[in-house]
């Protein structure tokens, strides 16, 4: 039986020399890989009490929506600036090379709701930290963060210390 790591394609020296790019498209392109990813991630949070699943554009949608569906929970979108039609809250944050803005609808999280944040990966933790701040700005309580892949060598876990982080696959390097 294949493990989840077996479905991840590694591309050396992309996007630059010395980087081992972990490509999850091969996970999603294989029905067994996709099922294993969703099932593994969902199993990691079976003991977690939460009301809402939140996922960031776009790969957070891929993994968060089926988990929300399977557990009969609402799914809330976090999108890039200017993509949501109703009143939003936003946060600017730093990327490795530049800045970005994330938004979510102002009425998407109710004060006191327990939130599970789902994404494809955590690397440096900047995007994850921004999502946490957005949820908390609406009065939500982050019950946990769930990712398919963690690049442990980039220390994203340290950036969100104090929050539960579950990852289906961990790579020690960058």
């Amino acid at each position: 039986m294949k493990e989840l790591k077996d479905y991840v394609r590694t591309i050396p020296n992309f996007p630059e020399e010395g980087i081992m790019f972990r490509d999850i498209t091969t996970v999603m392109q294989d029905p067994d890989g996709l099922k294993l990813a969703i099932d593994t991630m969902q199993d990691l949070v079976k003991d977690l009490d939460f009301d809402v699943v939140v996922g960031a554009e776009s790969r957070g949608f891929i993994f968060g929506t089926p988990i929300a569906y399977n557990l009969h929970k609402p799914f809330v979108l976090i999108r890039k600036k200017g993509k949501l039609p109703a009143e939003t809250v936003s946060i600017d944050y730093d990327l490795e090379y530049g800045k970005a803005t994330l938004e979510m609808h102002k009425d998407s999280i109710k004060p006191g709701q327990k939130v599970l944040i789902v994404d494809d990966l955590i690397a440096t933790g900047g995007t994850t930290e921004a999502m946490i701040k957005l949820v908390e700005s609406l009065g939500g309580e982050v019950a946990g963060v769930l990712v398919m892949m963690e690049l442990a060598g980039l220390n994203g876990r340290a950036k969100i210390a104090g929050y539960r982080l579950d990852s289906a696959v961990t790579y020690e390097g960058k």
Side-chain angles (χ1 to χ4, degrees), residues 31-134:
D32 293 329
L34 181 58
K35 182 173 181 1
L36 182 59
I38 300 300
D39 290 350
T40 300
M41 291 173 73
Q42 188 172 303
D43 192 52
L44 288 170
V45 295
K46 66 183 174 198
D47 66 322
L48 191 64
D49 178 30
F50 59 94
D51 306 306
V52 179
V53 177
V54 168
E57 185 172 3
S58 62
R59 292 175 306 268
F61 298 177
I62 293 166
F63 296 107
T65 301
I67 291 169
Y69 175 84
N70 288 342
L71 300 176
H72 199 252
K73 305 280 185 184
F75 183 77
V76 172
L77 309 174
I78 293 180
R79 299 212 57 197
K80 296 172 186 164
K81 185 177 178 89
K83 301 289 186 180
L84 292 170
E87 188 177 359
T88 61
V89 292
S90 65
I91 187 167
D92 297 322
Y93 67 104
D94 292 323
L95 298 170
E96 190 173 353
Y97 302 106
K99 293 191 175 291
T101 302
L102 291 176
E103 294 182 328
M104 63 192 305
H105 280 137
K106 198 171 192 176
D107 62 357
S108 61
I109 301 291
K110 309 293 182 266
Q113 281 188 311
K114 296 178 192 129
V115 176
L116 173 65
I117 294 174
V118 178
D119 210 352
D120 64 326
L121 86 143
I122 185 168
T124 63
T127 303
T128 307
E129 181 183 43
M131 290 189 289
I132 289 169
K133 287 179 179 179
L134 265 181

